């Protein structure tokens, strides 16, 4: 395979992975919203803490993938593209 095809496949895989992570984030946020309707108990607060922790991890992963995608897409542009600070 050419290097260009390998990079294109890598970008496609990263975009698909990012979309999957965004869907998981949506489900997790919905679960946290549902937990808010539970009666006050220790389980509710443990679930909220774990859910918020999971949301933070997924957001971090999404941002890392976005940064890698931008690195591939703007490889030839140098450091003068918008969003280089991410």
């Amino acid at each position: 395979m050419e290097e260009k095809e390998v990079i294109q496949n890598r970008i496609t895989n990263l975009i698909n992975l990012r979309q999957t992570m965004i869907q998981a984030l949506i489900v997790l946020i919905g679960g946290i919203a549902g937990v808010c309707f539970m009666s006050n108990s220790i389980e509710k607060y443990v679930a909220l803490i774990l859910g918020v922790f999971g949301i933070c991890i997924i957001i971090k992963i999404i941002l890392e993938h976005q940064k890698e995608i931008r690195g591939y897409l703007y490889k030839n542009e140098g450091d003068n593209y918008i969003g280089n600070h991410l």
Side-chain angles (χ1 to χ4, degrees):
M1 291 181 86
E2 283 185 37
E3 182 181 353
K4 198 172 194 179
E5 289 179 21
V6 171
I7 291 173
Q8 185 176 4
N9 287 338
R10 178 69 177 153
I11 291 171
T12 303
N13 290 339
L14 284 170
I15 290 172
N16 290 336
L17 183 59
R18 183 188 64 185
Q19 290 173 340
T20 303
M21 296 304 287
I22 289 172
Q23 291 171 352
L25 181 65
I26 291 170
V27 170
L28 190 55
I29 290 172
I32 293 298
V35 168
C36 291
F37 293 108
M38 289 174 55
S39 61
N40 287 336
S41 65
I42 192 73
E43 292 88 8
K44 173 183 178 177
Y45 297 111
V46 170
L48 283 173
I49 291 170
L50 291 176
V52 170
F53 182 69
I55 288 172
C56 293
I57 290 173
I58 290 176
I59 289 173
K60 182 179 181 274
I61 292 170
I62 290 171
L63 291 176
E64 288 173 355
H65 288 142
Q66 184 64 30
K67 185 177 180 181
E68 189 173 351
I69 290 169
R70 286 182 181 179
Y72 281 121
L73 292 177
Y74 298 106
K75 182 177 180 181
N76 298 326
E77 298 288 326
D79 291 335
N80 295 325
Y81 67 92
I82 297 174
N84 191 28
H85 61 281
L86 292 179

